[in-house]
Amino acid sequence: MTRTAGELAQFLGAKLEGDSLARISGVAGPESAVAEDLIYTDSPRQAGRAAKSGARCVLAPPGLRLAGKTILEVKEPKFAFAKAAEWLLPRPTPRTGVHASAVVAATARLASDVSIGPYAVIEEEVEIGAGTVIEAFCFLGRGAQVGANCRLHPRVTLYPGSRLGDRVEVHSGVVIGGDGFGYVFGEGRHWKFPQVGMMEVGDDVEIGCNTTIDRGSLGTTRIGAGVKIDNLVQIAHNVVIGEHCAIAAQTGISGSCTVGQRVLIGGQAGIADRCAIEDGATIGAQAGIPSGKIIRRGQTVWGTPARPLTKFKEQYGWFARLPELAERVRRLESGQGGAPRRKPASRSK
């Protein structure tokens, strides 16, 4: 879709400096952009990249000017860029209807304008809302519910009874509503604990490829509205995640944890069972949170076991000095005393 800079400025509520009739038909990074692409720059430090770009139109913060460029001035260029991209590049609308190879139970309830792809399986009493797209090889178990304007990419699995809200996007390989990892040891072996709870995903959630979210054991696993989950994340039974959290790849959240609203969790974080992470907290990449730990509102933690970021930095600084300190101890114990001599810096000839 081709727009003018003036139309885009009106859509974004931006202040326009330059040619209001400049055509914009795509988005790109500064180095790969052509004349009709839109780019953005966050700060004066990045102005050089934007100045050298082939793009004519630039989203920029207040006061930044670039010779020969049409500037759309906004407070948050990156956010405005994301909105502009969605507006300029609307997703193609798939053909509605049910593919001939799909298997749809007679008791399934499908809105009139849904799209069901090849070899999808829709079991009894499934409900699918208006405008939803179910792509090839998806499986929706008995009684699953999918809201309006959702998109399930190929090979998504919804176990029976799983519920998705409106405008949910689920990427390939995701499994929602499988049994949690719950066992009780007795009489010399592991007995499976009941996994008969519910699984609910709120509106406007996006779930990355090959993520798995288990159903509740006796209660409900719940993902709040606006949550964004990366690829390869594991969320266990009875976990409750508040609205607008972001969870990066390879994170594992153990059973019965609660995560507040607007929490950020870095990649490969490990959260043990029954932890509570309060609103606005940040969990650093590869952080390890022991069982039952509470991360307070707005706190940033790092490391294993997780600790406040300032404390982690201080301790890690000492950790980096351990070889030097060990040598000092060795010299003291051997009676040589004092700090070891430092090797003189080598001089280039």
Side-chain angles (χ1 to χ4, degrees):
M1 182 179 295
T2 300
R3 302 281 191 173
T4 66
E7 290 172 332
L8 182 57
Q10 184 175 8
F11 172 73
L12 296 174
K15 179 181 177 182
L16 179 68
E17 295 287 342
D19 183 7
S20 64
L21 298 179
R23 293 164 60 87
I24 304 173
S25 59
V27 296
E31 288 77 15
S32 60
V34 297
E36 290 194 5
D37 284 332
L38 177 70
I39 63 172
Y40 78 95
T41 181
D42 268 328
S43 68
R45 289 183 300 174
Q46 299 175 355
R49 295 175 61 209
K52 296 176 183 177
S53 176
R56 288 197 296 261
C57 295
V58 184
L59 288 165
L64 182 62
R65 297 293 180 265
L66 299 168
K69 305 292 186 185
T70 293
I71 301 295
L72 286 80
E73 187 178 286
V74 290
K75 291 183 178 179
E76 298 179 83
K78 189 172 184 178
F79 173 58
F81 185 79
K83 288 183 67 177
E86 187 175 283
W87 189 61
L88 290 166
L89 305 171
R91 179 175 290 177
T93 302
R95 180 179 297 176
T96 59
V98 178
H99 192 275
S101 63
V103 178
V104 180
T107 57
R109 294 183 288 277
L110 280 58
S112 59
D113 56 349
V114 302
S115 174
I116 308 296
Y119 301 102
V121 175
I122 313 296
E123 289 197 330
E124 291 81 1
E125 300 174 2
V126 168
E127 296 182 17
I128 301 176
T132 286
V133 178
I134 309 295
E135 297 193 24
F137 293 100
C138 287
F139 174 85
L140 278 63
R142 176 188 292 267
Q145 297 178 15
V146 181
N149 299 308
C150 296
R151 191 179 194 101
L152 275 58
H153 291 269
R155 300 184 186 279
V156 166
T157 297
L158 300 187
Y159 270 64
S162 299
R163 300 175 181 174
L164 307 186
D166 296 335
R167 300 174 302 280
V168 175
E169 183 161 11
V170 186
H171 290 274
S172 294
V174 168
V175 178
I176 293 176
D179 284 0
F181 190 66
Y183 297 88
V184 179
F185 193 81
E187 299 179 355
R189 69 182 182 90
H190 292 287
W191 294 75
K192 189 178 182 73
F193 194 80
Q195 304 294 314
V196 294
M198 301 297 293
M199 171 66 234
E200 296 179 356
V201 176
D203 298 341
D204 301 300
V205 170
E206 185 165 2
I207 303 172
C209 295
N210 294 318
T211 282
T212 54
I213 307 175
D214 297 338
R215 70 190 313 108
S217 173
L218 302 176
T220 300
T221 302
R222 184 173 291 111
I223 310 299
V227 170
K228 309 302 178 186
I229 302 173
D230 199 359
N231 302 334
L232 297 166
V233 171
Q234 157 64 13
I235 298 174
H237 58 263
N238 299 340
V239 169
V240 176
I241 297 178
E243 295 181 356
H244 304 294
C245 294
I247 304 172
Q250 297 185 345
T251 288
I253 303 178
S254 299
S256 301
C257 289
T258 59
V259 179
Q261 298 184 20
R262 293 178 171 83
V263 170
L264 302 178
I265 302 178
Q268 295 187 331
I271 303 173
D273 61 294
R274 301 185 184 279
C275 290
I277 302 172
E278 296 183 349
D279 295 352
T282 298
I283 311 302
Q286 295 189 327
I289 302 178
S291 297
K293 177 81 171 176
I294 299 174
I295 306 300
R296 298 298 181 186
R297 179 188 297 265
Q299 192 174 35
T300 297
V301 298
W302 221 275
T304 301
R307 68 214 84 165
L309 181 58
T310 53
K311 188 173 183 180
F312 171 80
K313 288 180 176 180
E314 178 185 359
Q315 292 175 343
Y316 202 79
W318 284 107
F319 177 78
R321 292 186 63 192
L322 282 178
E324 175 191 338
L325 296 173
E327 174 63 15
R328 293 180 66 179
V329 171
R330 185 193 67 78
R331 291 175 65 85
L332 289 168
E333 289 180 342
S334 66
Q336 298 178 45
R341 294 180 180 179
R342 296 184 180 273
K343 293 182 180 180
S346 59
R347 297 180 180 178
S348 58
K349 295 182 179 180

